[in-house]
């Protein structure tokens, strides 16, 4: 299992291309204002204490490094405003392990044995139909999307209806793909999955060079977390845990879309 | 006077053989003697490969140089339920490439659960001048671009059927790529496509193909376009509607009813997404001639379903949601005496409480009222041994019985006992049972029944059942005709598997996931049985990084003459003589 390493060369070209400060729009992991010096050298370093962008809204206001005026974003954009009490609460439960269990049964993979095509068809039907309330309240539609991770040898499918917030989704994905990341980062001294404590797991993944992105209905790749959850589940077609080095350029597009949606 | 086989010239034998179509018979013929083997292989036109990894393209081509029709199946059945990770395999490309070179006159390709790329479709489109039939059942990996290539190039195409495939729908434009001169379409199934196709192109295509018998539209085709389509193809025998809803306007309804009435040959109906119940009566004119009705996407209530179904006196096949309820099934039993196949799907499979009044009683009614009932797929929330017993005694002609009690390990709701006796009655009385799916609370005893009575059983699906290896042993040692066995979440382990290793060579495949088979046993099996591929799937890393006694996540064993496959993804390992070398 090899991963595609980002060549250092690309970093240098972006910073020297015609005076454009592309580094300002370069996707960063961690809170705006936090430094991530390792990124300039190689793709393997870790940023401790940061959060995958888009999940942690507890930013401390606008940082000059982001050069927001260049991107045409004003101070009011929700992305960079101080965290609301709800967001603070969400940030504090970031370590929650299990996805929120709705009033539906906890789903076992592949049970009951119903094909995805049928499940997805029924999901949309129940949303649109004028069926009487007793059926409409059944919460358990399914919305399977594929999840891939750069460098991982397998894809997964998750049912977005299983989650109520970005935190839930993030935790579930962390567990799903943790084993792969761990086997990649043998140097971190983690050999046995069982020995891994939860905080260590979070650190590992936050420190890794991955961001969570999704392909929306228009075929564009966006960062996860930029839009309200409901909007996200309605437009998400596929998820990809992308190497952050490849995610450069997603940020501006996401902002554009966000603007046009508001 | 002694008559010998070679007193007939080859041509005569060939002619005689041409009347033998079943694969089994063809196989028997080829075993009579060497000359018959030779003659048979040169005149074989159709081949069915139930597991694409059981054989390889070169082997197939070498033996059968003049095929016109090939059917291939790829992934294990449990892939339908997300149990097989993406990238597992089942790639059609190597087959299609090889066949493009070897069979320029190939006419039919049917693939199931395989990964098909646009490139493969392009190869098909360009390589086979007389290409007629393309069926992609539960396939994935291609886009509408690949379909465009088929449409543009296959002048003699008769059938294009994409049933339940996952197609990346980039645009509906591809349908326009059928040239205006193209008129040979007989069957089109695009029900799985997500986006709208070019409706004008569709209408023109439908009306210029006089032999079009089957048309299954996708959900995006609006109801108000259906009458035009029907008027363009009054000879249609099978129709799948698009979304069956529209603004309620009297002219739409009368237009629709009139169009349906004009289809005197219509025998099968499906589709019915987003049904507006007030539009259902539009199909009443054709109900009396229908033999097949698929309402499994129609979220309408029992009264509307009952009205519809009670008019279909010739019905042989009904697929429906559990909205039909026990009452509806009772009416079905009274009205449709020719019913052969019933499938009842759950409208709310993940809800904790039942949302409809559908119980075991519905199935009992149908088993009582429909003497020809032989194929059942039934999702419900409660079952009893008594009911199963009744069903078994009512319907000894049952050949396919798949019961899914939604909550795993549910006991007989009346006695709280396991459902061993009930399923035992099924296998005992239904002597021609070929396919069985179990559910509910089951001990090793049900497997003892199955091993004892299930002599004709070919496919068995088991989940959350059994107590010990004895269960598995009963099945493997008792079911003489077993071809496919798929098991999940059962406490079956090494002993039964290794004791019945030889049996596995008589079967197509064995799937076991979340059971108790150890890595060490898999290695032993792989080493002992060179003509089996023993594949271990583990997404958490190489199995030899854990102790030999730890259970494997997933095990897939199948017989093969092609040796271990070479296209395995990183999470699949083959256990064979070199397994020690391969894992590293």
């Amino acid at each position: 299992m090899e991963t595609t390493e980002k060549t250092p060369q690309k970093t240098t070209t972006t910073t020297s291309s015609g005076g454009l400060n592309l580094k300002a729009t370069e996707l960063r992991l961690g809170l705006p204002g936090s430094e991530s010096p390792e990124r300039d050298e190689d793709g393997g370093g870790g940023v401790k204490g940061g959060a995958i962008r888009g999940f942690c809204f507890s930013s401390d206001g606008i940082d000059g490094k982001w050069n927001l005026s260049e991107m045409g974003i004003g101070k009011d954009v929700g992305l960079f405003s101080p965290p609301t009490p709800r967001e603070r609460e969400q940030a504090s439960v970031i370590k929650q392990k299990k996805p929120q269990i709705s009033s539906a049964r906890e789903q076992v993979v592949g049970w009951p044995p119903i094909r995805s095509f049928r499940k997805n068809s029924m999901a949309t039907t129940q949303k649109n139909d004028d069926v009487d309330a007793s059926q409409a309240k059944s919460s358990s539609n399914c919305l399977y999307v594929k999840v891939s991770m750069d460098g991982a040898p397998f894809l997964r499918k998750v049912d977005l209806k299983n989650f109520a917030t970005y935190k839930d989704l993030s935790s579930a994905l962390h567990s799903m793909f943790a084993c792969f990341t761990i086997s990649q980062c043998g140097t971190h001294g983690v050999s046995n999955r069982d020995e891994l404590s939860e905080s260590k797991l979070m650190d590992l993944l936050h420190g890794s060079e991955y961001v969570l992105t999704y392909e929306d209905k228009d075929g564009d790749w966006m960062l996860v977390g930029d839009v309200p959850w409901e909007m996200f589940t309605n437009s998400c077609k596929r998820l990809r845990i992308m190497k952050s080095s490849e995610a450069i350029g997603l940020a501006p597009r996401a902002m554009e879309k966000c603007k046009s949606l508001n | 006077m002694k008559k010998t086989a070679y007193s007939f010239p080859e041509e005569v034998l060939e002619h005689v053989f041409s009347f033998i179509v079943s694969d089994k018979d063809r196989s028997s013929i080829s075993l009579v003697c060497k000359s018959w083997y030779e003659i048979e292989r040169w005149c074989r036109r159709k081949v069915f490969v139930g597991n694409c990894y059981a054989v390889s393209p070169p082997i197939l081509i070498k033996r059968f140089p003049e095929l016109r029709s090939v059917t291939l199946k790829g992934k294990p059945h449990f892939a339908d339920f997300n149990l097989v990770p993406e990238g597992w395999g089942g790639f059609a490309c190597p087959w299609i490439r090889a066949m493009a070179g070897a069979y320029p006159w190939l006419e039919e390709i049917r693939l199931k659960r395989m990964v098909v790329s646009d490139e493969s479709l392009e190869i098909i489109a360009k390589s086979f001048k007389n290409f007629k039939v393309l069926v992609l059942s539960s396939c994935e990996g291609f886009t509408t671009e690949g379909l465009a290539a088929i449409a543009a190039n296959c002048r003699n195409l008769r059938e294009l059927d994409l049933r339940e495939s996952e197609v990346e729908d980039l645009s509906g434009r591809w349908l326009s790529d059928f040239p205006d001169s193209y008129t040979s379409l007989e069957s089109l199934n695009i029900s799985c496509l997500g986006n709208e196709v070019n409706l004008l192109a569709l209408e023109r295509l439908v009306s210029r193909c006089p032999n079009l018998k089957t048309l299954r539209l996708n959900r995006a085709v609006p109801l108000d376009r259906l009458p035009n389509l029907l008027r363009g193809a009054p000879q249609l025998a099978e129709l799948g509607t698009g979304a069956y809803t529209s603004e309620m306007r009297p002219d739409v309804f009368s237009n629709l009813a009139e169009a349906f009435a004009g289809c005197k040959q219509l025998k099968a109906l499906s589709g019915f997404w987003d049904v507006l119940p007030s539009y259902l009566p539009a199909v009443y004119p054709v109900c009396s001639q229908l033999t097949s009705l698929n309402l499994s996407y129609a979220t309408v209530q029992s009264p509307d379903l009952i009205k519809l179904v009670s008019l279909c006196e010739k019905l042989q096949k009904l697929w429906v949601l559990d909205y039909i309820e026990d009452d509806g099934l009772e009416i079905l039993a009274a009205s449709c005496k020719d019913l052969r196949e019933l499938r009842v799907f759950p409208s709310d499979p993940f809800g904790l409480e039942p949302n409809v009044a559908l119980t075991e009683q519905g199935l009992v009614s149908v088993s009582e009222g429909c003497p020809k009932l032989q194929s059942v797929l039934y999702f419900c929330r409660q079952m009893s041994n008594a009911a199963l017993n009744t069903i078994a005694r009512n319907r000894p002609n049952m050949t396919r019985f798949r019961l899914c009690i939604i909550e795993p390990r549910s006991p007989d709701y009346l006695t709280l006992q396991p459902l061993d006796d009930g399923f035992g009655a099924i296998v005992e009385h239904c002597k021609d049972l070929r396919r069985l799916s179990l559910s509910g609370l089951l001990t090793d005893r049900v497997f003892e029944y199955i091993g004892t009575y299930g002599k004709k059983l070919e496919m068995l699906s088991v989940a959350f059942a059994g107590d010990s290896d004895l269960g598995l042993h009963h099945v493997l040692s008792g079911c003489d005709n077993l071809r496919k066995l798929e098991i999940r979440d059962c406490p079956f382990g090494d002993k039964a598997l290794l004791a019945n290793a030889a049996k596995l060579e008589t079967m197509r495949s064995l799937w076991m996931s979340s059971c108790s088979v150890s890595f060490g046993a898999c290695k032993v099996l792989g080493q002992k049985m060179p003509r089996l591929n023993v594949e271990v799937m583990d997404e958490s890393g190489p199995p030899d990084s854990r102790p030999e006694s730890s259970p494997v996540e997933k095990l897939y064993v199948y017989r093969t003459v092609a040796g271990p496959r070479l296209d395995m993804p990183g999470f699949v390992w083959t256990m064979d003589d070199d397994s020690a070398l391969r894992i590293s």
Side-chain angles (χ1 to χ4, degrees):
Chain A
M1 303 178 211
E2 69 260 273
T3 51
T4 44
E5 282 285 57
K6 190 110 189 64
T7 55
Q9 208 180 347
K10 196 158 183 185
T11 327
T12 47
T13 36
T14 50
T15 48
S16 65
S17 54
L20 270 172
N21 190 2
L22 291 172
K23 203 154 194 275
T25 57
E26 184 186 11
L27 194 76
R28 299 293 192 89
L29 289 171
L31 312 173
S34 65
E35 296 288 77
S36 48
E38 300 92 333
R39 295 197 75 237
D40 293 329
E41 276 106 60
D42 61 275
V47 179
K48 289 256 179 228
I52 294 179
R53 186 178 170 280
F55 281 79
C56 192
F57 293 90
S58 46
S59 64
D60 295 330
I62 295 153
D63 176 41
K65 261 199 166 343
W66 284 89
N67 223 329
L68 291 173
S69 53
E70 210 173 274
M71 296 187 287
I73 306 288
K75 276 196 171 188
D76 314 326
V77 175
L79 223 52
F80 293 100
S81 45
T84 62
R86 182 163 173 265
E87 283 161 353
R88 256 187 264 267
E89 189 198 348
Q90 283 177 345
S92 71
V93 296
I94 197 166
K95 295 206 168 128
Q96 184 186 330
K97 203 174 186 175
K98 271 182 178 260
Q100 203 170 313
I101 297 171
S102 59
S103 62
R105 69 184 62 242
E106 195 170 322
Q107 291 183 34
V108 177
V109 176
W111 191 268
I114 302 169
R115 295 185 178 191
S116 318
F117 180 75
R118 183 170 293 280
K119 277 199 263 207
N120 287 345
S121 284
M122 291 307 293
T124 333
T125 302
Q126 277 171 333
K127 249 195 286 184
N128 299 340
D129 231 5
D130 291 345
V131 185
D132 70 59
S134 62
Q135 276 129 30
K137 81 164 184 255
S138 79
S139 51
S140 37
N141 308 322
C142 289
L143 205 53
Y144 276 92
V145 294
K146 291 188 186 178
V147 189
S148 63
M149 179 170 174
D150 288 359
F154 56 87
L155 293 185
R156 291 290 198 141
K157 277 188 188 161
V158 286
D159 176 8
L160 289 182
K161 296 295 180 196
N162 259 342
F163 312 108
T165 64
Y166 284 118
K167 299 293 170 292
D168 296 342
L169 177 63
S170 169
S171 309
L173 291 178
H174 288 171
S175 340
M176 253 185 231
F177 288 93
C179 53
F180 172 67
T181 322
I182 288 159
S183 64
Q184 285 292 298
C185 305
T187 49
H188 285 246
V190 177
S191 54
N192 192 339
R193 264 172 93 192
D194 300 325
E195 288 168 8
L196 190 67
S197 70
E198 195 162 354
S199 52
K200 242 189 171 173
L201 170 62
M202 289 301 172
D203 286 348
L204 201 66
L205 285 161
H206 293 162
S208 72
E209 293 292 307
Y210 294 102
V211 278
L212 186 59
T213 63
Y214 72 103
E215 184 182 3
D216 73 358
K217 283 203 165 111
D218 305 327
D220 294 324
W221 284 94
M222 318 272 280
L223 287 170
V224 171
D226 291 348
V227 299
W229 175 256
E230 277 298 318
M231 205 183 293
F232 164 69
T233 55
N234 281 336
S235 61
C236 173
K237 264 173 46 182
R238 178 182 351 202
L239 287 164
R240 179 175 160 198
I241 302 174
M242 204 184 275
K243 291 217 137 187
S244 50
S245 44
E246 287 190 31
I248 290 170
L250 277 187
R253 242 192 310 163
M255 311 285 190
E256 284 297 310
K257 272 218 157 154
C258 218
K259 267 203 302 179
S260 62
L261 286 169
N262 288 341
Chain B
M1 192 167 88
K2 200 163 82 161
K3 287 200 183 127
T4 54
Y6 38 77
S7 56
F8 290 119
E10 256 182 49
E11 295 82 5
V12 175
L13 277 175
E14 245 191 68
H15 183 70
V16 171
F17 292 173
S18 69
F19 294 100
I20 315 289
V21 286
S22 102
D23 293 323
K24 244 181 141 190
D25 291 341
R26 278 270 169 174
S27 204
S28 308
I29 292 174
S30 66
L31 294 170
V32 167
C33 63
K34 282 197 182 134
S35 64
W36 278 37
Y37 176 90
E38 277 302 303
I39 297 168
E40 193 283 319
R41 79 181 186 90
W42 277 95
C43 68
R44 176 95 65 117
R45 295 285 173 261
K46 216 170 136 140
V47 134
F48 169 84
V49 180
N51 174 6
C52 65
Y53 291 118
V55 73
S56 69
I59 295 175
L60 178 77
I61 290 168
K62 182 157 180 228
R63 180 171 174 190
F64 300 117
E66 306 252 313
L67 293 180
R68 299 272 187 274
S69 162
V70 175
T71 303
L72 298 171
K73 290 191 179 181
K75 300 185 207 175
H77 174 238
F78 273 176
D80 285 353
F81 315 127
N82 281 344
L83 287 174
V84 177
E86 301 280 326
W88 173 85
F91 304 108
C93 205
W95 286 92
I96 291 173
R97 281 227 180 88
M99 294 192 295
Y103 302 132
W105 297 109
L106 192 67
E107 296 176 2
E108 304 180 354
I109 294 178
R110 293 178 173 84
L111 305 176
K112 186 166 184 178
R113 275 185 224 109
M114 294 195 78
V115 178
V116 183
S117 60
D118 282 345
E119 191 198 341
S120 300
L121 293 176
E122 277 152 31
I123 295 175
I124 293 174
K126 306 271 172 63
S127 315
F128 308 114
K129 298 299 164 203
N130 204 22
F131 197 67
K132 297 198 174 117
V133 171
L134 182 63
V135 177
L136 302 174
S137 176
S138 303
C139 294
E140 56 167 349
F142 59 103
T143 77
T144 40
E145 291 303 300
L147 296 178
I150 299 284
N153 294 287
C154 300
R155 298 297 151 102
N156 294 309
L157 193 71
R158 303 238 176 99
E159 191 174 329
L160 178 61
D161 186 338
L162 306 175
R163 56 178 85 150
E164 292 179 325
S165 290
E166 231 176 85
V167 186
E168 200 176 326
D169 199 336
L170 301 172
S171 110
R173 186 197 50 75
W174 68 276
L175 203 71
S176 322
D177 288 340
F178 281 110
D180 291 334
S181 55
Y182 168 72
T183 56
S184 45
L185 193 63
E186 290 176 19
S187 170
L188 181 66
N189 180 354
I190 53 168
S191 53
C192 60
L193 294 182
N195 290 343
E196 207 177 76
V197 287
N198 185 329
L199 290 172
L200 227 52
L202 179 63
E203 271 174 37
R204 275 193 255 118
L205 177 65
V206 164
S207 49
R208 71 172 182 270
C209 295
N211 297 320
L212 188 67
K213 287 284 186 309
T214 299
L215 179 63
R216 299 207 194 273
L217 304 167
N218 62 337
R219 195 173 189 165
V221 176
L223 190 61
D224 53 10
R225 301 298 282 259
L226 192 57
N228 255 6
L229 287 163
L230 291 180
R231 266 186 271 273
Q235 75 284 358
L236 267 186
E238 300 182 326
L239 172 73
T241 73
Y244 202 80
T245 186
S246 175
E247 272 171 34
M248 191 60 200
R249 288 183 347 245
D251 56 309
V252 171
F253 181 88
S254 53
N255 213 3
L256 192 60
E258 222 180 283
F260 270 117
C263 294
K264 306 280 184 218
Q265 320 230 15
L266 206 53
K267 294 267 186 316
L269 275 182
S270 61
F272 296 106
W273 284 285
D274 313 312
V275 178
L276 198 59
S278 35
Y279 274 125
L280 276 177
V283 306
Y284 287 177
V286 293
C287 283
S288 57
Q289 58 199 60
L290 288 181
T291 55
S292 168
L293 187 53
N294 182 352
L295 293 166
S296 62
Y297 296 102
T299 51
V300 285
Q301 300 305 297
S302 188
D304 298 302
L305 289 169
I306 289 175
K307 267 193 242 137
L308 184 57
V309 156
S310 55
L311 291 172
C312 302
E313 56 202 26
K314 295 214 180 98
L315 206 59
Q316 295 178 13
K317 177 170 128 172
L318 176 66
W319 292 20
V320 73
L321 285 170
D322 55 11
Y323 290 132
I324 194 164
E325 300 190 330
D326 289 342
D327 289 342
L329 290 175
E330 208 177 316
I331 307 277
L332 175 71
S335 319
C336 306
K337 294 302 184 186
D338 211 18
L339 196 70
R340 323 267 163 109
E341 178 178 329
L342 174 68
R343 296 195 192 189
V344 178
F345 295 95
S347 53
D348 183 19
F350 304 106
L352 291 170
E353 295 303 316
N355 61 324
V356 289
L358 180 104
T359 68
E360 81 282 7
Q361 190 47 49
L363 186 56
V364 171
S365 308
V366 181
S367 76
E368 264 159 16
C370 302
K372 298 203 189 144
L373 186 71
Q374 48 178 228
S375 172
V376 166
L377 170 61
Y378 200 76
F379 284 82
C380 61
R381 287 169 193 273
Q382 68 184 41
M383 188 47 65
S384 66
N385 283 308
L388 284 170
N389 210 316
T390 307
I391 292 165
R393 283 167 202 279
N394 284 341
R395 295 274 63 80
N397 52 326
M398 190 79 72
T399 54
R400 288 184 211 89
F401 190 75
R402 291 191 279 166
L403 181 68
C404 179
I405 306 165
I406 289 178
E407 181 65 38
R409 301 194 186 90
S410 302
D412 176 328
Y413 77 101
L414 294 169
T415 66
L416 299 182
Q417 293 301 298
L419 289 167
D420 300 336
D421 289 340
F423 279 106
I426 295 277
V427 286
E428 188 184 344
H429 294 280
C430 307
K431 303 212 187 295
D432 290 321
L433 196 69
R434 293 199 307 266
R435 185 167 180 183
L436 178 65
S437 297
L438 305 172
S439 59
L441 182 64
L442 297 164
T443 72
D444 284 345
R445 215 151 56 90
V446 72
F447 299 108
E448 195 178 345
Y449 286 132
I450 292 172
T452 307
Y453 296 110
K455 294 305 179 190
K456 297 265 182 75
L457 200 62
E458 295 178 5
M459 181 169 177
L460 179 65
S461 309
V462 186
F464 308 105
D467 310 310
S468 74
D469 269 48
L470 206 53
L472 180 58
H473 176 70
H474 283 310
V475 172
L476 289 176
S477 56
C479 296
D480 301 329
N481 279 296
L482 196 63
R483 289 190 298 115
K484 289 179 278 183
L485 179 58
E486 46 186 26
I487 301 171
R488 61 162 300 176
D489 295 276
C490 296
F492 299 148
D494 303 344
K495 283 195 282 238
L497 195 62
L498 293 176
N500 292 284
K503 170 75 174 174
L504 299 177
E505 255 189 43
T506 69
M507 292 165 54
R508 182 187 297 173
S509 65
L510 166 70
W511 168 282
M512 291 179 76
S513 57
S514 308
C515 296
S516 317
V517 181
S518 73
F519 175 55
C522 295
K523 280 207 285 194
V524 169
L525 187 63
Q527 283 153 12
K528 229 170 103 172
M529 311 290 298
R531 283 185 304 218
L532 290 180
N533 276 354
V534 179
E535 292 181 10
V536 167
M537 262 174 266
D538 212 315
E539 288 174 289
S540 56
D544 63 354
S545 61
R546 287 181 288 287
E548 293 236 331
S549 56
S550 47
V552 298
E553 258 176 33
K554 295 171 184 166
L555 172 67
Y556 186 50
V557 182
Y558 55 91
R559 66 179 174 191
T560 180
V561 295
R565 59 182 176 117
L566 302 169
D567 62 356
M568 292 179 297
F571 54 87
V572 179
W573 290 269
T574 296
M575 311 285 109
D576 59 14
D577 294 330
D578 310 322
S579 59
L581 297 168
R582 235 176 267 274
I583 298 166
S584 45

